């Protein structure tokens, strides 16, 4: 054996052992999170079955909530989305739509649909955002406020809305989102149970593609007709019904979707609002709240609730999906690096010593190592070093466990709130749990490596998210209308949270 062959042999064998051991640890962690999620889901289902002896919509005890809706080039969906929010069952609600310098007809459609008139009063605060061009109030809906400002990005738009509301809570919601009629009543439950401690709560995001939307509400739930959105349904089920619930059981929730999350307004203002130098502001704001509240020795809770649901359109092709997932991966790295002082510090409890380190191992480093494993297998075969035991172990850890965890998510869905009632839909979900491991999962490792390269190059772009929009009474398919679109949050699968 030559020196080169010896070096290659040592490299291949050593790398193979490391990869198998690494993935064994990661998958054991995922399995623990999923088991804990099952117990958490059981408790949530029991609570959801309890009916209060009063009508929640009429209760005077619910805190006021501002729906802060950043909108950039969302002409295709903005009117239907706002109408959906206006019909929500909630006793004290304000809707604050922030037009973030749109270059399409977003502002015109808002004016025409809701009869906006300018508010002549001066701004009461020094708002940490780009200049505000005007503030408008609807003459038809007293609780609808529209802020027109120069473009500054989603974080900037959110800050404008947070500073221009007097409500105790605000709900960060994407402008391309349809919220279930009772979801707001459900998502504020932690603020009723522990009003002095509750700081944030998040709900479930589901895929709206091919669902029937009428009058601002999802009337018929269908699985998408095509494979790419269908695979994302599986990812979302796994991420929310297993990953989020498991983290909630550990009291270590670090992800609340930017498409549907409620926060205490004063706490977010205290940390300076949303950072402008990140493209995953939803992940960043939760981690920073953890850090601030621990540093200030403030008792707090952050919760995920599976019952309240918001629906969003997901990409229908690999090109658009790849742009979205690269952005999520870059944003995850930005947040991790920005908050690195929390890592492995007992001061920050489970979040600092357990959750964040595992998250980085699994979601930031894991896809990169998996991609290296796919390169290692043909290399080992070429040099005659492919060990059948290593191959089977790698296949089991990347495919076998992956299928099991995906089916775990389907089981959680069927056992609990079961929005996909038709047996053939459940069978298709189980099939997607197998299918995603052959081609789609490997593609996601390439996306992660691409995202890493973009992060190292300092890439900051969002990329385009094409939409068809929510058609009245039509099935919603991933499609063709313009707009950047906001994501369903970092945790809806792929590099940012395929498992958690």
């Amino acid at each position: 054996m030559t020196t080169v062959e010896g070096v290659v042999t040592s490299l291949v064998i050593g790398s193979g052992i490391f990869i198998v051991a690494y993935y064994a640890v990661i998958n054991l962690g995922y399995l623990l999170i999923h088991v804990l999620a099952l117990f958490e889901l059981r408790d949530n289902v029991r609570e959801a079955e309890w009916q209060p002896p009063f009508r929640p919509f009429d209760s005077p005890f619910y805190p006021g909530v501002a729906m802060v809706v950043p909108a950039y080039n969302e002409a295709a969906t903005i009117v239907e989305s706002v109408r959906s929010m206006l019909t929500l069952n909630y006793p004290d609600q304000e809707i604050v739509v922030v037009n973030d310098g749109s270059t399409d007809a977003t502002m015109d459609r808002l004016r025409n649909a809701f009869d906006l008139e300018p508010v002549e009063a001066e701004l009461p605060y020094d708002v940490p955002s780009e200049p505000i061009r005007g503030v408008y109030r609807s003459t038809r809906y007293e609780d609808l406020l529209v802020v027109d400002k120069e473009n500054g990005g989603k974080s900037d738009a959110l800050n404008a809305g947070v500073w221009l509301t007097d409500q105790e809570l605000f709900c960060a919601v994407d402008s391309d989102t349809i919220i279930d009629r009772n979801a707001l009543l459900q998502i504020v439950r932690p603020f009723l149970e522990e009003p002095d401690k509750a700081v944030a709560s998040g709900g479930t995001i589901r895929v709206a593609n091919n669902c029937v939307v009428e009058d601002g509400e999802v009337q018929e739930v269908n699985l998408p007709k095509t494979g790419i959105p269908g695979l994302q349904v599986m990812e979302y089920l796994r991420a929310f019904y297993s990953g989020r619930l498991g983290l909630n059981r550990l009291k270590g929730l670090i992800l609340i979707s930017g498409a549907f999350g409620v926060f205490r307004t004063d706490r977010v203002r205290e940390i300076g609002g949303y950072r402008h130098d990140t493209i995953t502001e939803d992940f960043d704001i939760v981690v920073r709240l953890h850090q601030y509240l621990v540093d200030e020795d403030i008792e707090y809770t952050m919760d995920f609730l599976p019952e309240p649901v918001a629906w969003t359109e997901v990409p229908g092709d690999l090109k658009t999906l790849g742009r979205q997932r690269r952005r999520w991966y870059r944003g995850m790295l930005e947040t991790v690096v920005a908050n690195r002082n929390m890592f492995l510090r007992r001061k920050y409890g489970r979040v600092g010593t357990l959750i964040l380190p595992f998250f980085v191992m699994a979601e930031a480093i894991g896809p990169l190592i998996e991609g290296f494993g796919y390169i290692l297998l043909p290399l080992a075969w070429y040099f005659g070093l492919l060990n059948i035991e290593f191959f089977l172990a790698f296949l089991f850890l990347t495919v076998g466990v992956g299928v099991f965890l995906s089916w775990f998510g389907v089981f959680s869905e069927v056992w609990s709130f079961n929005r996909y009632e038709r047996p053939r839909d459940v069978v298709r979900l189980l099939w997607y749990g197998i299918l995603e491991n052959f081609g789609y999962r490997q593609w996601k490792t390439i996306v992660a490596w691409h995202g890493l390269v973009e992060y190292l190059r300092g890439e900051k772009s969002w990329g385009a998210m094409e939409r068809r929009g929510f058609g009245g009474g039509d099935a919603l398919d991933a499609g063709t209308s313009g707009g950047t679109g906001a994501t369903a949050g970092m945790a809806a699968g792929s590099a940012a949270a395929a498992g958690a």
Side-chain angles (χ1 to χ4, degrees):
M1 180 182 294
T2 65
T3 302
V4 173
E5 290 175 334
V7 171
V8 171
T9 300
S10 299
L11 176 63
V12 170
I13 294 175
S15 299
I17 293 173
F18 171 76
I19 290 172
V20 169
Y22 192 92
Y23 263 86
V25 172
I26 294 300
N27 283 319
L28 282 173
Y30 278 152
L31 183 60
L32 173 63
I33 289 173
H34 282 60
V35 170
L36 291 173
L38 202 58
F39 288 102
E40 186 75 0
L41 184 60
R42 178 200 61 187
D43 295 344
N44 276 273
V45 170
R46 287 175 178 173
E47 290 187 25
E49 291 174 347
W50 178 79
Q51 296 295 328
F54 59 90
R55 295 178 60 194
F57 182 72
D58 296 330
S59 172
F61 302 108
Y62 278 81
V65 177
M67 310 290 289
V68 179
V69 190
Y72 175 75
N73 288 357
E74 296 287 356
T77 60
I78 189 63
V79 172
E80 192 72 20
S81 183
V82 172
R83 283 176 177 160
S84 170
M85 294 176 208
L86 287 168
T87 62
L88 292 179
N89 291 331
Y90 200 79
D92 187 5
Q93 174 195 12
E94 180 183 42
I95 299 171
V96 183
V97 180
V98 184
N99 178 48
D100 190 37
S102 297
T103 57
D104 67 354
T106 297
M107 195 65 196
D108 291 335
R109 293 196 177 184
L110 286 168
R111 282 196 186 95
N112 295 334
F114 303 110
D115 296 333
L116 302 181
E117 286 189 353
V119 176
E120 302 298 340
E122 294 186 6
L123 296 177
Y125 306 107
D126 184 15
V127 181
S129 71
E130 291 297 314
I132 293 174
R133 297 185 290 218
V135 179
Y136 303 85
R137 179 80 64 180
S138 171
T139 59
R140 296 173 57 193
Y141 304 96
E142 183 181 353
D143 295 328
L144 174 59
L145 190 73
V146 176
V147 179
D148 185 26
K149 59 179 286 295
E150 295 183 10
N151 181 258
K154 185 179 178 182
S155 297
D156 194 80
L158 284 168
N159 283 342
V162 169
W163 259 262
L164 288 177
T165 182
D166 294 326
Q167 300 286 26
E168 178 183 348
L169 308 177
F170 75 90
C171 179
V173 57
D174 285 348
S175 56
D176 60 328
T177 298
I178 296 291
I179 300 173
D180 278 355
R181 196 64 51 89
N182 291 320
L184 205 55
L185 289 168
Q186 296 158 349
I187 200 173
V188 299
R189 193 180 72 207
F191 297 92
L192 298 175
E193 295 173 346
E194 297 186 279
D196 295 329
K197 293 182 180 180
V199 171
S201 66
T204 298
I205 306 301
R206 287 182 177 268
V207 174
N209 301 51
N210 210 54
C211 293
V212 176
V213 178
E214 292 180 353
D215 301 322
E217 186 175 13
V218 174
Q219 299 290 347
E220 182 180 326
V221 179
N222 300 307
L223 273 181
K225 295 178 180 178
T226 55
I228 299 303
L231 288 169
Q232 291 171 78
V233 172
M234 170 58 64
E235 290 181 311
Y236 278 51
L237 286 177
R238 185 173 61 236
F240 286 93
Y241 276 81
S242 294
R244 291 284 216 286
L245 280 167
L247 294 178
N248 207 53
R249 193 75 175 187
L250 288 168
K251 306 299 181 185
L253 186 67
I254 58 172
L255 295 162
I256 291 177
S257 174
F260 187 36
V262 174
F263 299 84
R264 268 186 57 173
T265 306
D266 58 346
R267 294 301 187 205
V268 172
R269 287 175 178 173
E270 286 167 13
I271 64 172
Y274 290 84
R275 280 177 45 209
H276 293 178
D277 57 347
T278 180
I279 52 177
T280 48
E281 75 297 321
D282 46 3
F283 180 32
D284 178 80
I285 196 74
V286 175
V287 175
R288 285 171 54 221
L289 279 170
H290 276 295
Q291 184 173 15
Y292 168 77
L293 294 166
V294 171
D295 287 343
E296 297 297 318
D297 197 25
I298 298 172
E299 288 189 63
Y300 69 97
T301 63
M302 296 188 191
D303 294 281
F304 167 73
L305 295 90
E307 187 179 10
V309 172
W311 303 80
T312 191
E313 182 183 355
V314 299
D317 60 272
L318 284 179
K319 182 178 180 181
T320 306
L321 181 61
R323 285 197 298 263
Q324 181 195 66
R325 298 304 172 84
R326 292 199 306 271
R327 183 176 79 243
W328 290 0
Y329 189 85
R330 284 187 277 121
M332 174 177 58
L333 296 180
E334 289 174 354
T335 297
V336 165
V337 171
N339 297 280
R340 60 188 179 278
N341 60 324
M342 294 180 64
F343 280 68
L344 301 176
R345 294 186 62 186
R346 293 178 59 188
K347 173 182 179 181
Y348 297 106
R350 292 176 183 174
V351 171
T353 59
L354 179 64
I355 305 301
L356 279 174
F358 179 79
F359 183 84
V360 171
M361 286 180 61
E363 306 301 340
I365 302 174
L368 305 179
I369 292 180
E370 183 174 336
F372 181 68
Y374 294 133
I375 297 174
L376 188 65
L377 282 173
L379 189 64
W381 173 82
Y382 179 81
F383 284 97
L385 300 171
L386 184 59
N387 181 282
I388 189 64
E389 286 80 10
F390 164 72
F391 174 76
L392 292 176
F394 182 77
L395 190 67
F396 172 75
L397 290 171
T398 58
V399 176
V401 176
V403 170
F404 174 76
L405 296 178
S406 295
W407 285 6
F408 206 109
V410 176
F411 169 74
S412 298
E413 156 70 9
V414 172
W415 176 60
S416 58
F417 302 105
N418 195 20
R419 296 297 184 102
Y420 301 101
E421 298 177 345
R422 291 183 288 269
R424 68 173 181 270
D425 286 345
V426 176
V427 172
R428 284 179 61 197
L429 285 171
L430 294 173
W431 166 239
Y432 285 138
I434 299 173
L435 184 65
E436 68 173 339
N437 291 280
F438 300 95
Y440 182 66
R441 178 169 182 158
Q442 291 72 30
W443 172 80
K444 289 194 296 183
T445 65
I446 297 173
V447 169
W449 277 99
H450 192 173
L452 175 63
V453 172
E454 289 184 341
Y455 170 76
L456 295 175
R457 286 199 318 231
E459 179 70 45
K460 295 294 183 182
S461 66
W462 273 61
M465 168 62 184
E466 298 182 347
R467 304 185 185 281
R468 175 183 174 183
F470 301 115
D474 294 330
L476 173 63
D477 293 312
T480 57
S481 63
T484 60
T487 72
M490 262 194 58
S494 108

